Amino acid sequence: MTPYAPYPHGRPRRLRRDEFTRNLVREHALSTHDLIYPVFVVDGKQQRQAVASMPGVERLSLDLLLPVAEQCVALGIPVMALFPVIDGKLKTPDGREACNPEGLVPRVVQALKKEFPQLGVMTDVALDPFTSHGQDGLLDDTGYILNDETVEVLVQQALTQSQAGVDIVAPSDMMDGRIGAIRAALEKRGDIHTRIMAYSAKYASAFYGPFRDAVGSAGNLGKSNKKVYQMDPGNTDEALREVALDLAEGADMVMVKPGMPYLDVVRRVKDEFRVPTFAYQVSGEYAMLKAAAQNGWLDHDLVMMESLLAFKRAGADGVLTYFALDAARQLRK
């Protein structure tokens, strides 16, 4: 480390004396361009369903989602990420509804791109919202999640979303080889502009509970878990291997999920690869901060902004967060 003048010639507090100096020397800052807003979309019209475990978050039908997209555009939020809530009657063991070109996700993508072409739209590539068992892939006779057979379905799902006009496909399933297979299929069809944001380091975390409530997969999953394909929370070297594989297979951007409990992983990924790196402030993180604020234990806006700044400080280029609208409004003040 560079030697610094000792006290009293060196007084670090000089650079903290007033607001203009603090602004002048600030190392990291958050902007609206760093935010991706995850939303839950349900079929039908005039559907507004509160998610009990995520205060302030709702499942919305397309007609009510469009005004939210308009808010994103007005506030300068660059991307909205779609997560579907699928009717239980459409859920099957093979999740075939995920590949339906007339399904919920393609219809929402088409409507959003028609109404707000300047808003980036990102879609989840995974089967858990569509499977009757709540897993991200196809099962064998023992209940083990099959890798290569699942990848074949994920490729079709990604192609369906790309054909609908989505800007970014985001495979969140953690199957081996799925990025390369999706990239090859997109290239073969000429969809050279479709970006891939890979959930490269996605951990088998206990922080996903409220999200599974929101998309309706918690009941289907039951007491099962996803430890045979999502990463062990004790590993960080493995995260670097996963990121390296996804980049070699054609990912444009990579993600670490969850966020705050894994900021060390974000830092390692950014330092190692120097590529666009994102983090997901997941449902459990959001729910904790919301609950503490509602109980008066924390200042909502201050902890919200501090938590998002932590991602930038750790090296993230952007954050998927359910706070996106609130944070953007704070940044406008």
Side-chain angles (χ1 to χ4, degrees):
M1 178 179 286
T2 303
Y4 294 99
Y7 175 85
H9 298 295
R11 292 181 180 266
R13 286 186 58 190
R14 278 195 289 261
L15 297 180
R16 305 171 196 149
R17 179 172 174 78
D18 44 49
E19 186 173 8
F20 84 82
T21 305
R22 293 192 296 272
N23 290 339
L24 185 68
V25 301
R26 183 169 293 124
E27 297 173 34
H28 302 281
L30 180 74
S31 81
T32 56
H33 295 162
D34 301 320
L35 305 173
I36 297 175
Y37 188 36
V39 296
F40 300 105
V41 60
V42 65
D43 220 334
K45 292 184 178 180
Q46 291 296 304
Q47 294 295 311
R48 184 185 299 274
Q49 305 167 358
V51 180
S53 54
M54 299 178 69
V57 173
E58 299 173 314
R59 308 178 192 94
L60 299 173
S61 52
L62 175 59
D63 55 327
L64 299 182
L65 184 64
L66 291 174
V68 177
E70 187 174 15
Q71 290 181 56
C72 288
V73 172
L75 289 167
I77 296 171
V79 178
M80 177 183 282
L82 303 179
F83 294 94
V85 182
I86 301 299
D87 188 321
K89 297 177 182 178
L90 296 175
K91 295 187 179 187
T92 57
D94 60 3
R96 58 180 175 271
E97 178 64 18
C99 305
N100 180 5
E102 304 299 324
L104 177 60
V105 172
R107 286 186 280 112
V108 173
V109 169
Q110 290 166 356
L112 286 171
K113 294 309 297 183
K114 179 181 178 181
E115 295 294 326
F116 306 103
Q118 70 274 48
L119 176 65
V121 177
M122 186 167 87
T123 45
D124 183 41
V125 179
L127 300 185
D128 52 329
F130 303 91
T131 55
S132 52
H133 44 72
Q135 294 286 1
D136 293 54
L138 309 183
L139 309 183
D140 67 10
D141 293 338
T142 69
Y144 185 77
I145 290 80
L146 297 165
N147 192 91
D148 296 4
E149 293 84 347
T150 296
V151 169
E152 291 180 12
V153 182
L154 296 173
V155 168
Q156 294 306 311
Q157 183 184 18
L159 288 174
T160 299
Q161 295 172 354
S162 181
Q163 188 172 25
V166 76
D167 301 292
I168 306 168
V169 292
S172 66
D173 56 284
M174 289 300 289
M175 297 298 124
D176 295 337
R178 89 276 203 212
I179 301 301
I182 291 171
R183 174 57 72 202
L186 290 171
E187 288 290 322
K188 183 177 180 180
R189 203 172 66 181
D191 293 346
I192 63 172
H193 301 301
T194 304
R195 282 131 281 181
I196 298 176
M197 181 186 290
Y199 285 64
S200 297
K202 182 178 180 179
Y203 287 84
S205 171
F207 283 90
Y208 302 148
F211 175 92
R212 290 172 183 164
D213 291 339
V215 298
S217 64
N220 299 107
L221 190 63
K223 294 183 179 180
S224 299
N225 61 61
K226 303 188 178 187
K227 294 181 180 181
V228 299
Y229 48 100
Q230 295 178 356
M231 285 180 53
D232 188 321
N235 296 350
T236 60
D237 289 343
E238 183 184 10
L240 300 185
R241 295 197 295 273
E242 288 280 7
V243 170
L245 285 167
D246 286 352
L247 291 172
E249 291 176 19
D252 302 290
M253 300 163 274
V254 298
M255 187 201 301
V256 175
K257 181 183 180 183
M260 287 189 71
Y262 296 85
L263 291 180
D264 60 318
V265 181
V266 176
R267 182 75 268 167
R268 288 196 69 187
V269 169
K270 190 63 175 179
D271 287 345
E272 180 73 19
F273 297 102
R274 302 291 178 182
V275 298
T277 302
F278 293 79
Y280 199 142
Q281 187 179 45
V282 299
S283 58
E285 300 172 62
Y286 173 87
M288 288 193 305
L289 295 180
K290 277 289 188 180
Q294 287 182 342
N295 279 283
W297 300 333
L298 294 172
D299 183 298
H300 178 278
D301 292 345
L302 290 179
V303 296
M304 171 181 69
M305 300 306 287
E306 185 176 340
S307 69
L308 293 172
L309 183 60
F311 291 106
K312 295 292 293 181
R313 195 178 64 246
D317 296 287
V319 188
L320 288 85
T321 175
Y322 304 98
F323 286 118
L325 290 177
D326 289 340
R329 293 185 186 107
Q330 284 293 311
L331 289 166
R332 283 289 182 95
K333 290 183 179 178

